[in-house]
Amino acid sequence: MTKKAETRQYAALPIDLSSGELKIVLVTSRTTGRWIVPKGRPEPGLPGHEVARREAFEEAGLLGTVSHKSLGSFVGVKGQGTTAAPARVLVYPFRVSAYLDDFPEKGQRDIRTVTYLDALMLLSDGGLVSLLLRNERRLIDSLPPLAVIGADR
C-alpha cells in the first residue's frame, strides 16, 4: 500500500456569542453524516481564511467575520476507503453574526449550534477536538471583532 500525499484544507470554527455563552456551529458531512466544522480545499487566488469564510456560508448559511490568523491545524482524513488521504486542516476562528435561511448547501447537511462541551462530544475528528482543548482559554480572544452584516461577505 502506498502512502498518499497530505492535502490541505481550510476550516471555519464558527463561534456564536449572541446568547452570552460560547456556542459552536457544527454541520454534518455530506458523505458520512459525521459532525464537523465547515471546511474546504484551497481555491486559486483565495487566502485560507477566505476559503474558510466561504465554506461557512456555503455549508451552513453563516455570515460573520473570520480571523486572518489560524488557531492552529490538525491532520484529518479526506475521503473514505481507497480514496482516503491525510489532510492538514488549518482552522480559522469565525465570529457568527447572522444565520441565513437560504444558502448553497441548504438541505444537504444538518446544522446544529451547541455548547463548547457538546461540540467536544459530537465532533468526530480527534485532531479537531485536541485543537479545541489546547486552545479553550483563547477561543474568544482569537475572534475578530464583529463586522457590519454583509461587509465581510
Side-chain angles (χ1 to χ4, degrees):
M1 179 150 95
T2 60
K3 185 176 178 182
K4 295 190 178 185
E6 187 176 277
T7 61
R8 178 155 290 202
Q9 288 190 303
Y10 301 111
L13 177 61
I15 297 175
D16 184 343
L17 299 173
S18 64
S19 69
E21 180 182 11
L22 186 145
K23 296 205 174 175
I24 297 176
V25 182
L26 303 178
V27 299
T28 54
S29 161
R30 285 191 294 191
T31 55
T32 65
R34 296 177 306 124
W35 289 104
I36 60 172
V37 293
K39 64 181 182 283
R41 295 183 180 146
E43 296 182 31
L46 278 184
H49 70 278
E50 282 297 317
V51 172
R53 183 201 54 75
R54 180 178 284 180
E55 294 300 322
F57 165 70
E58 290 177 358
E59 295 181 11
L62 302 175
L63 296 182
T65 310
V66 67
S67 174
H68 291 216
K69 184 178 179 195
S70 77
L71 188 62
S73 68
F74 66 95
V75 176
V77 177
K78 177 70 180 163
Q80 302 177 80
T82 58
T83 64
R88 169 75 52 189
V89 182
L90 276 76
V91 179
Y92 292 88
F94 179 94
R95 182 184 295 255
V96 176
S97 60
Y99 296 77
L100 298 177
D101 291 330
D102 192 28
F103 50 94
E105 295 183 18
K106 182 178 181 170
Q108 297 177 32
R109 302 171 184 274
D110 290 328
I111 303 165
R112 191 181 290 177
T113 302
V114 299
T115 66
Y116 172 78
L117 290 176
D118 285 342
L120 294 175
M121 291 187 288
L122 287 169
L123 284 166
S124 61
D125 197 305
L128 178 55
V129 170
S130 293
L131 180 69
L132 290 175
L133 288 170
R134 284 192 313 271
N135 290 284
E136 178 180 5
R137 294 183 189 265
R138 60 184 216 108
L139 282 179
I140 293 174
D141 292 339
S142 70
L143 290 170
L146 274 176
V148 176
I149 292 178
D152 194 23
R153 190 165 163 214

